[in-house]
Amino acid sequence: MPFRIPTTAGQQFSLPWIKYSKIDNPSTGWGVALRMFFEIAFFRSLFRNTKADILNGRLYVGSNKWLWIGALAFHYCFLIILVRHLRFFVGETPWCISLIDSIDSFWQIGLPMLYMTDIIIAAALLYLLGRRIFNPQVKYISLPSDYFPLFLILGIVATGILMRYFAKVDITSIKELTLGLVYLNPIVPKGLGSLFYIHLFLVSVLFAYFPFSKLMHMGGVFLSPTRNLANNNRMKRHVNPWDYPVKHRHYEEYENEFREKMKKAGIPVEKE
Amino acid sequence: MYDGWKIILGLIVFVIIVTLPFTMSIGKPYVQPKPSIDTPEIQKMEKKQCIEPKQYMREMHIKILYSWKDYATREGKRVYVASDGKQYDVSLQNTCMKCHSNKEKFCDECHNYVNVKPYCWDCHIEPKVGGVK
């Protein structure tokens, strides 16, 4: 990068006796690593989300954490659910997956035991969808590519919840199918309901859609130049790496070539 | 590509994580679950069928057991009428485990396979290995 892009939220490093913000406006690589960690693990930029409103003719700007809470709840639940599914894809489930499973279901409500993440992800998704439907400003800027992943993931969550708690499926046969894929020896067991295949289809659609959609923020967050570059513009010289030697010609050379012609035409020259 | 090694490192980490299910299975034999119904009680039966059809039991046994718990301990209802009209005692110990006396070769076979840990035996007495109560 020729220049760092310091969209900061804290005091820049300048003089040693001026206290500066090490995480929000880092000047070192380690500071950047911390900023990236907080960005990825806790959505720190979103935490600063504000909302402007006009009340009694005056403009007020206040902090608005709902989007941050909804996004954080959704992403972590999605991660836990994804990791939990590993029990269908490996022969012997590792203990850490079992641990996550038992913590997730530790309320021991009903049988099969209720996973908290199932409730939270459904609530978070409905909030994120409701925001796009009922908030006029957000509705105005929402595109099909915003709604589609929401509906897709809602469909996946809904079929998953239906299979686990209500319609019930033959889970042993499902694992025979998934392990068949893992061992590169695919089989299709009998007796699997359509609900499972709907779930599988929607997940496949999600995986196929992922690399071409806004969901690529999963990889893109690591490449945000405003987050992953240290703000050291004044400490180091940053040369544009795609600079190339520009072809140029001095006036002197030009005049040397055309001096005679210029004289004949009456154009003044610097050297005779 | 500037700072290319960072991108490539990230991609390598991503690929390793995504392929974990495959790499974790390398070298481990594939064991298919075979729940055994070879017990003395079942051998005596002429028509080897559980209280409901097999596929239904495979999918719904958890719901049946859960409702049986409420029938027996909360509502005092002790008779289950199956879909074919036959009547059964609502009792894990005396109905289910009478035939399926081989817990470790029947229940555990699938439960371990899909990593399910039912808490039946927190309250009920776990049958001893060998199938004798």
Side-chain angles (χ1 to χ4, degrees):
Chain A
M1 283 283 153
F3 296 108
R4 301 307 169 98
I5 311 169
T7 54
T8 63
Q11 175 65 45
Q12 181 182 2
F13 176 77
S14 50
L15 295 166
W17 45 272
I18 297 175
K19 201 177 165 194
Y20 87 108
S21 176
K22 281 181 186 154
I23 296 173
D24 283 324
N25 199 343
S27 63
T28 61
W30 284 109
V32 167
L34 267 181
R35 175 162 75 178
M36 288 305 286
F37 170 75
F38 283 112
E39 185 63 36
I40 290 158
F42 303 112
F43 306 174
R44 196 174 168 90
S45 304
L46 199 54
F47 190 72
R48 286 192 280 266
N49 188 30
T50 55
K51 186 186 178 190
D53 219 342
I54 292 173
L55 297 170
N56 304 323
R58 295 181 63 183
L59 177 70
Y60 290 87
V61 179
S63 136
N64 184 16
K65 304 271 184 261
W66 284 106
L67 179 60
W68 175 75
I69 291 173
L72 203 66
F74 163 72
H75 281 86
Y76 270 103
C77 287
F78 204 140
L79 177 68
I80 291 172
I81 290 171
L82 189 74
V83 167
R84 250 184 16 216
H85 275 73
L86 203 59
R87 78 179 167 116
F88 297 117
F89 291 91
V90 291
E92 264 181 50
T93 316
W95 64 270
C96 47
I97 306 297
S98 301
L99 185 73
I100 290 170
D101 207 281
S102 59
I103 291 171
D104 201 355
S105 61
F106 108 111
W107 297 107
Q108 296 205 338
I109 298 169
L111 205 68
M113 285 189 259
L114 181 72
Y115 286 131
M116 313 182 220
T117 47
D118 286 0
I119 302 291
I120 299 171
I121 199 173
L125 274 169
L126 288 175
Y127 165 72
L128 293 172
L129 181 64
R131 191 180 144 263
R132 292 201 182 275
I133 295 173
F134 297 113
N135 184 331
Q137 289 93 336
V138 183
K139 185 180 181 180
Y140 184 74
I141 58 166
S142 292
L143 299 168
S145 62
D146 295 315
Y147 291 108
F148 180 70
L150 276 171
F151 284 128
L152 188 61
I153 297 172
L154 260 176
I156 293 171
V157 168
T159 46
I161 286 176
L162 276 176
M163 273 195 291
R164 178 170 171 89
Y165 304 105
F166 302 105
K168 302 303 295 168
V169 284
D170 183 0
I171 212 168
T172 309
S173 305
I174 288 176
K175 187 158 179 177
E176 277 170 28
L177 186 145
T178 53
L179 269 194
L181 294 173
V182 168
Y183 281 87
L184 305 178
N185 184 21
I187 47 161
V188 181
K190 281 177 198 157
L192 284 180
S194 53
L195 206 50
F196 168 73
Y197 286 110
I198 294 172
H199 189 72
L200 185 65
F201 172 71
L202 291 179
V203 172
S204 307
V205 170
L206 179 66
F207 281 177
Y209 179 67
F210 205 97
F212 308 104
S213 68
K214 69 169 199 168
L215 301 176
M216 270 312 279
H217 69 263
M218 177 180 151
V221 68
F222 293 94
L223 306 178
S224 336
T226 61
R227 303 286 96 197
N228 67 9
L229 294 173
N231 183 10
N232 54 6
N233 273 336
R234 299 178 182 190
M235 297 156 68
K236 283 185 186 163
R237 180 161 187 252
H238 299 283
V239 178
N240 189 345
W242 57 86
D243 265 354
Y244 53 90
V246 180
K247 275 184 199 160
H248 58 269
R249 197 174 183 201
H250 287 289
Y251 178 72
E252 204 182 346
E253 294 168 33
Y254 174 85
E255 205 183 80
N256 286 343
E257 187 177 345
F258 295 107
R259 183 166 292 117
E260 296 310 312
K261 286 176 181 158
M262 288 168 82
K263 276 184 191 167
K264 275 182 199 163
I267 298 170
V269 288
E270 286 183 352
K271 275 190 207 164
E272 285 301 322
Chain B
M1 198 152 64
Y2 308 100
D3 286 336
W5 66 273
K6 288 180 191 164
I7 308 256
I8 288 165
L9 193 72
L11 285 176
I12 290 173
V13 170
F14 176 75
V15 168
I16 288 175
I17 291 174
V18 167
T19 52
L20 264 185
F22 295 92
T23 48
M24 281 166 81
S25 304
I26 289 173
K28 288 181 187 161
Y30 176 56
V31 188
Q32 209 175 8
K34 288 199 179 61
S36 154
I37 51 166
D38 183 20
T39 63
E41 280 295 327
I42 296 174
Q43 291 302 334
K44 270 188 248 168
M45 294 167 83
E46 276 179 27
K47 186 170 172 258
K48 292 184 177 49
Q49 200 201 310
C50 199
I51 59 173
E52 301 282 356
K54 185 181 169 191
Q55 189 59 31
Y56 185 81
M57 289 309 292
R58 279 184 79 120
E59 291 167 6
M60 296 298 277
H61 66 278
I62 187 166
K63 288 273 166 204
I64 292 174
L65 287 170
Y66 192 58
S67 63
W68 278 24
K69 185 200 80 181
D70 285 350
Y71 288 161
T73 59
R74 298 195 181 156
E75 295 163 29
K77 204 173 132 192
R78 278 291 184 177
V79 181
Y80 174 80
V81 183
S83 54
D84 60 0
K86 276 191 195 165
Q87 296 197 340
Y88 295 96
D89 242 4
V90 173
S91 166
L92 175 71
Q93 222 95 342
N94 298 333
T95 308
C96 308
M97 304 309 285
K98 193 180 105 195
C99 295
H100 298 294
S101 52
N102 51 345
K103 171 177 171 289
E104 69 278 5
K105 287 206 178 106
F106 184 73
C107 308
D108 295 348
E109 190 76 16
C110 291
H111 289 164
N112 289 344
Y113 180 67
V114 292
N115 194 37
V116 169
K117 298 189 182 73
Y119 54 53
C120 313
W121 316 108
D122 288 6
C123 304
H124 290 277
I125 299 165
E126 197 165 344
K128 290 202 181 75
V129 178
V132 192
K133 258 197 283 185

